[in-house]
Amino acid sequence: MQTSDVYFDPYDVEIHRDPYPTYQRLRDEAPLYYNDRHDFYAVSRYDDVERGLADRETFISGRGNVLEFIKSGVEMPPGIVAAEDPPTHTIHRGLMSRVFTPRKVAALESAIRGFCTEFLDPLVGAERFDLIAEFAAQMPMRVISMLIGIPEADQVAIRDTSNASLRTKAGKGIRIRQESVVLGGEFAEYVDWRIDNPSDDIMTDLLNAEFEDHDGTRRRLTRQELLTYIYVIAGAGNETSARLIGWTAKVLADHPDQRRELVEDRSLIPNAIEEILRFENPAPTAARYVAADVELRDEVVPAGSAIVILMGAANRDERKYSDPNRFDIRRDIGMQLTFGHGAHFCLGAALARLEGRIALDELLTRFPEWDVDADGARMATSSTVRGWECLPVVVA
């Protein structure tokens, strides 16, 4: 199918560390790529990625939105909204969207700033600290736990369990078994307690939510559906937001002149966060199952294939962006694909953006200048998210 010798492997640690040279070669030499070792196709150009995300009739999510799930053939449990097709997806997304309305997200600003103060103020005066351990992994956890209603004493254990499920080992993905996709058991006692102790949180909202199922009956979520919902919300709300904050610190340390502009003019922060999301996507890939033969780049991808959609590559496609490998907080970005596109656009995008903007604002207030100790930094290994597990910063 292709004459190029370019090689892309989502489990290759070296590619994961800096995927952009490989992404460039894929876009130029193999815009429709096939990996025979792991048996999947991949698209990397902006137009193809946008199509792959938007065409949910051909590129379906119901077999999973991660390559390992698609290849395993396991049946996805109801409640993983990102891994569902209509009509179930439409119903469940409608329920989930009630949680992340613009009004509810905007109302969180004061609480988010309070959490930033809680974690950042003790660091003032320190010459060096791990930004991930001390802040980036803490603040999003507190926000999403507040929304769900998880007691503070149990938040760290639940976050770490969720994050660990996303880790992969060099050279291979996660081994998926059917029994391993029964999700959310760690939240069972909180759900049971909330039944008798309702509150103003997501768990209570979902316990009481009624909806019309695809067969026309009105019902509430089953207990397992609810547990899966909570698991998905907790995981998404922790990992990717933490990675965004980590990338914010790393990219701005690499571009101190632009960081100084942000210190002087905070109105630039929203666009700076958009550019960071484009420049270093915390979740650079998604996967789909190909439901019917489809022509891409003058080749036919057969039904039954798995295809990896490289949003991280699309966000640096020179066919879409001028000088895409240059970081520019004043760039006219337009639509970047970090949060996906179409029916599966990330429901938590508004919350992630708000957390990113507030985190940057509060960081700049306390630490207008910092460097990163590159020798001490460590990247997390995962085929689905990309970012820093340890990021030591040295404060000027």
Side-chain angles (χ1 to χ4, degrees):
M1 184 185 69
Q2 62 197 44
T3 57
S4 171
D5 63 353
V6 62
Y7 180 72
F8 169 70
D9 184 336
Y11 313 118
D12 187 300
V13 174
E14 291 305 313
I15 294 175
H16 181 77
R17 187 171 289 117
D18 180 13
Y20 299 107
T22 300
Y23 287 166
Q24 180 73 60
R25 290 194 62 195
L26 287 172
R27 290 193 302 266
D28 292 345
E29 302 170 28
L32 176 63
Y33 171 80
Y34 178 69
N35 180 299
D36 56 3
R37 178 183 177 187
H38 299 295
D39 184 28
F40 69 86
Y41 291 85
V43 288
S44 50
R45 291 185 183 177
Y46 186 98
D47 289 348
D48 296 330
V49 167
E50 183 181 21
R51 175 187 175 185
L53 294 170
D55 182 359
R56 62 179 183 175
E57 300 296 325
T58 304
F59 306 103
I60 67 172
S61 301
R63 302 290 187 95
N65 65 334
V66 175
L67 182 61
E68 291 96 323
F69 277 102
I70 295 173
K71 301 303 293 184
S72 73
V74 302
E75 183 179 346
M76 300 300 294
I80 304 180
V81 181
E84 292 181 328
D85 298 312
T88 308
H89 172 261
T90 306
I91 295 166
H92 286 171
R93 185 178 175 92
L95 279 174
M96 196 83 83
S97 65
R98 302 180 193 179
V99 173
F100 295 108
T101 64
R103 180 184 61 81
K104 288 186 176 181
V105 170
L108 296 172
E109 178 166 351
S110 177
I112 294 171
R113 289 195 184 275
F115 291 137
C116 288
T117 297
E118 176 183 343
F119 293 114
L120 291 177
D121 277 1
L123 303 176
V124 174
E127 296 181 355
R128 175 191 175 98
F129 56 87
D130 180 359
L131 183 102
I132 304 301
E134 301 294 339
F135 179 50
Q138 300 286 349
M139 184 271 281
M141 173 191 70
R142 292 292 296 276
V143 173
I144 204 68
S145 296
M146 174 188 68
L147 287 173
I148 295 174
I150 301 172
E152 186 174 340
D154 298 316
Q155 291 173 9
V156 172
I158 287 174
R159 178 201 65 197
D160 291 348
T161 298
S162 175
N163 290 355
S165 70
L166 299 172
R167 298 294 180 266
T168 53
K169 294 182 179 180
K172 58 184 178 181
I174 306 166
R175 192 171 182 180
I176 307 294
R177 296 183 178 91
Q178 187 65 57
E179 59 268 23
S180 69
V181 297
V182 179
L183 306 173
E186 60 266 45
F187 300 104
E189 63 179 278
Y190 306 126
V191 169
D192 293 340
W193 188 78
R194 269 285 171 253
I195 292 173
D196 298 322
N197 299 273
S199 181
D200 183 22
D201 58 28
I202 291 173
M203 203 175 288
T204 302
D205 288 346
L206 293 177
L207 273 167
N208 296 319
E210 289 190 358
F211 62 96
E212 186 174 301
D213 212 341
H214 57 84
D215 61 0
T217 60
R218 288 199 63 79
R219 68 177 182 90
R220 294 185 178 184
L221 291 170
T222 67
R223 189 170 187 275
Q224 186 54 57
E225 284 174 329
L226 179 61
L227 290 173
T228 304
Y229 259 56
I230 299 298
Y231 177 90
V232 169
I233 294 170
N238 274 315
E239 180 83 353
T240 51
S241 293
R243 300 302 165 224
L244 169 58
I245 296 169
W247 279 121
T248 297
K250 177 63 169 65
V251 171
L252 291 177
D254 293 340
H255 299 84
D257 291 347
Q258 296 191 61
R259 183 178 58 200
R260 291 188 196 104
E261 289 187 64
L262 292 168
V263 171
E264 296 299 322
D265 185 357
R266 303 301 174 91
S267 71
L268 297 172
I269 286 178
N271 202 67
I273 292 297
E274 291 302 302
E275 176 69 345
I276 291 164
L277 286 163
R278 182 198 69 85
F279 193 73
E280 292 287 9
N281 188 339
T285 71
R288 297 288 189 269
Y289 179 84
V290 180
D293 290 358
V294 60
E295 184 174 311
L296 289 169
R297 298 291 158 188
D298 299 322
E299 300 286 344
V300 174
V301 177
S305 300
I307 190 164
V308 175
I309 299 171
L310 298 173
M311 294 93 73
N315 279 344
R316 293 211 193 185
D317 188 351
E318 62 275 10
R319 297 158 190 82
K320 174 68 175 179
Y321 300 104
S322 175
D323 196 7
N325 293 315
R326 176 176 58 86
F327 176 73
D328 180 6
I329 61 172
R330 297 177 182 272
R331 180 187 297 274
D332 182 6
I333 299 167
M335 188 180 79
Q336 40 92 345
L337 298 173
T338 298
F339 293 112
H341 178 57
H344 283 281
F345 182 82
C346 177
L347 278 166
L351 178 57
R353 285 172 161 136
L354 181 64
E355 289 178 332
R357 293 196 297 265
I358 294 173
L360 176 53
D361 189 28
E362 298 291 337
L363 272 171
L364 293 172
T365 295
R366 294 164 178 82
F367 310 106
E369 294 187 11
W370 66 82
D371 292 314
V372 167
D373 175 8
D375 292 336
R378 183 175 68 253
M379 189 169 283
T381 56
S382 169
S383 64
T384 55
V385 294
R386 181 171 174 270
W388 300 98
E389 199 158 59
C390 176
L391 193 70
V393 299
V394 181
V395 179

